[in-house]
Amino acid sequence: MSEAPPYGALVGALMALVVAAFVASVTVGYAAVDVGGAVADIFAGRSSLGALVLTELRLPRAIMGTLVGFSLGLAGAAMQGLLRNPLADAGVIGVSGAAAFGAVMAFYSGVSATFALALPIGGILGAGLAVALLYALAGRGSATMTLILAGVAINSLAGALTALALNLSLNPYAAMEVMFWLMGSLADRSLSHVQLAAPLLVVGWLMILASGPALDALTLGEDTAASLGFDLGRVRLLLICGTALAVGASVAVTGAIGFVGLVIPHLLRPLVGGRPGRLLLVSGLGGAALVLGADIGVRLVGVRPELKLGVVTALIGAPFFLVLLWRLRREA
């Protein structure tokens, strides 16, 4: 078995990869833009076409891709560490489905037509409601299996309510718009979306990263982790609320972008020696690189209308998931 690379070198390499993908995301687009000239125009205060394309379209898209990818990769590693299940991701606790339902209700009620940020705000409220319902059902000091069952119930309920809203929609065009949004995309996102989601994402990241040592201890079992001085109820609260903030805000702004939190931790886990605490940061960076890379691929394909990012990540992640299931079955 090959030795894991030094942790600092791994983090540095992933950071360099994210920076390269970010620069490529700003550079690549449907129309040729002199990026250097556009940057000069921005600093000079000139409202050229290139400066507008950069600040209104490409830069918000690249920033949002980085933030959302980091959140999904980080949350996936956190859930796999908490539940000690390699098939877990943020959808297990019902946050993704509830955030999607909150955004759909903003569509369905017509509020999104009068208030530009109603859609992401609705998604964030849906994610918060999911966490409140999760703890109402399971309780703060509940066992891990109880949290999983409560999360599955919330996810099923949110999915059913979303389908009901689509079924009862009187406007077929509105229903189609909702379905396209649910597929996930970074297109047409503005700096207002970034400003709305970024504070919630950062708070969620800090809550998850603070739980790294406890996740390492949980690999020895819950009883051992408790004997080492970790308050498991507090750890679960930090991880679940942090995941709700990070994933809920992401889904609220970009729609559902699946499989990132499942694929990335599996690819990077051998490089950190299987330590869940160290996997958190590198999974976040890997998720950012994957989402940025997939979004660049969406633009390079040249299909019109543009392929949805969530569809592309599903095409990448679903075969990986099947291979993983087959491998786990053979090992069992």
Side-chain angles (χ1 to χ4, degrees):
M1 184 176 180
S2 60
E3 185 178 352
Y7 184 69
L10 177 61
V11 171
L14 287 171
M15 283 183 174
L17 180 61
V18 172
V19 170
F22 185 93
V23 172
S25 180
V26 173
T27 305
V28 173
Y30 300 120
V33 173
D34 180 6
V35 177
V39 171
D41 289 339
I42 292 171
F43 282 105
R46 294 189 294 266
S47 299
S48 65
L49 179 60
L52 288 174
V53 169
L54 202 64
T55 57
E56 299 297 328
L57 296 176
R58 294 190 185 177
L59 193 59
R61 186 167 186 162
I63 294 173
M64 189 56 66
T66 304
L67 296 178
V68 169
F70 189 94
S71 299
L72 296 177
L74 178 67
M79 286 298 99
Q80 290 180 17
L82 173 64
L83 304 178
R84 298 184 297 284
N85 186 336
L87 302 180
D89 68 357
V92 171
I93 59 173
V95 172
S96 300
F101 173 66
V104 166
M105 288 308 297
F107 265 119
Y108 186 76
S109 63
V111 177
S112 61
T114 58
F115 178 40
L117 294 179
L119 185 63
I121 290 174
I124 292 167
L125 291 176
L129 181 62
V131 173
L133 185 57
L134 180 69
Y135 273 90
L137 291 173
R140 183 178 182 276
S142 59
T144 300
M145 184 56 67
T146 307
L147 288 174
I148 294 175
L149 293 175
V152 169
I154 293 170
N155 213 26
S156 299
L157 177 62
L161 291 174
T162 300
L164 178 64
L166 290 172
N167 191 38
L168 295 177
S169 177
L170 299 178
N171 187 340
Y173 298 103
M176 186 176 297
E177 187 178 359
V178 171
M179 292 185 66
F180 276 120
W181 179 84
L182 287 173
M183 294 179 188
S185 176
L186 296 175
D188 302 324
R189 301 309 185 263
S190 66
L191 289 176
S192 297
H193 291 92
V194 174
Q195 292 168 357
L196 175 67
L200 298 174
L201 295 175
V202 172
V203 172
W205 299 348
L206 294 176
M207 295 174 72
I208 293 173
L209 292 172
S211 305
L215 289 179
D216 287 337
L218 275 173
T219 59
L220 304 174
E222 293 189 1
D223 293 338
T224 303
S227 68
L228 292 174
F230 292 102
D231 183 349
L232 297 185
R234 179 177 177 275
V235 170
R236 292 191 189 100
L237 181 64
L238 276 176
L239 287 171
I240 290 175
C241 289
T243 298
L245 285 172
V247 176
S250 298
V251 172
V253 174
T254 64
I257 300 175
F259 288 99
V260 176
L262 177 67
V263 172
I264 290 298
H266 277 286
L267 294 178
L268 297 177
R269 185 174 286 110
L271 302 181
V272 295
R275 292 182 57 180
R278 286 194 166 189
L279 183 62
L280 294 175
L281 178 58
V282 298
S283 289
L285 294 171
L290 175 60
V291 170
L292 286 171
D295 189 53
I296 292 169
V298 163
R299 283 174 276 175
L300 290 177
V301 168
V303 175
R304 301 292 184 277
E306 182 180 285
L307 287 176
K308 297 299 181 181
L309 182 58
V311 175
V312 175
T313 57
L315 289 174
I316 296 172
F320 179 90
F321 185 70
L322 293 174
V323 171
L324 176 62
L325 282 175
W326 178 255
R327 183 184 302 172
L328 290 175
R329 179 185 176 187
R330 293 189 63 183
E331 291 175 356

